[in-house]
Amino acid sequence: MALDPVFLSRLQFGFVISFHIIFPSFTIGLGAWLATIEGARLATGTRSIGVYLTSGSRCFALSFGMGVVTGIVMAFQFGTNWSVLAERTGSIQGPLLGYEAFNSLYVGGDIFRRYAAWA
């Protein structure tokens, strides 16, 4: 089997999009879990719950970082490897990618601001 550039670019895109689906989905769920734990900590006043918040925020930071890295690469791949698709559906893809980046930066920044005492 010849390793032509089209096959390699499709293989790389499949790898990147797979990880970009996994990491942001996990980050969204983990953010909701951290918010629930924070609510339980505020409701009960128990300081020992803070251990869960610290370890959860470390995991959140790693997952968030991987989502950002794969998202940046994915956005460039839409323009280079899938230029015809990006040209025809740009009015749909552009706002969605912008909305995703806007929300992830604000939600991620808020969680980092609240729970990044370990940094």
Side-chain angles (χ1 to χ4, degrees):
M1 173 169 68
L3 295 176
D4 61 329
V6 174
F7 174 74
L8 291 175
S9 66
R10 289 179 180 169
L11 183 68
Q12 180 186 13
F13 182 75
F15 177 78
V16 168
I17 197 76
S18 297
F19 278 94
H20 189 70
I21 289 170
I22 291 169
F23 284 112
S25 300
F26 180 71
T27 304
I28 290 168
L30 187 59
W33 181 75
L34 288 173
T36 304
I37 295 297
E38 174 70 11
R41 186 185 69 81
L42 291 173
T44 62
T46 308
R47 290 182 156 241
S48 62
I49 296 178
V51 174
Y52 295 115
L53 291 173
T54 303
S55 62
S57 64
R58 288 179 182 167
C59 189
F60 182 89
L62 177 67
S63 178
F64 182 80
M66 289 298 294
V68 167
V69 167
T70 58
I72 290 171
V73 173
M74 185 187 66
F76 281 110
Q77 286 179 339
F78 278 133
T80 57
N81 298 346
W82 303 89
S83 59
V84 175
L85 175 70
E87 181 182 349
R88 292 187 181 166
T89 62
S91 60
I92 298 168
Q93 283 182 358
L96 290 176
L97 290 172
Y99 180 71
E100 177 192 12
F102 179 76
N103 280 330
S104 67
L105 289 176
Y106 277 101
V107 170
D110 183 54
I111 289 179
F112 286 144
R113 181 183 58 84
R114 291 178 187 267
Y115 309 117
W118 54 272

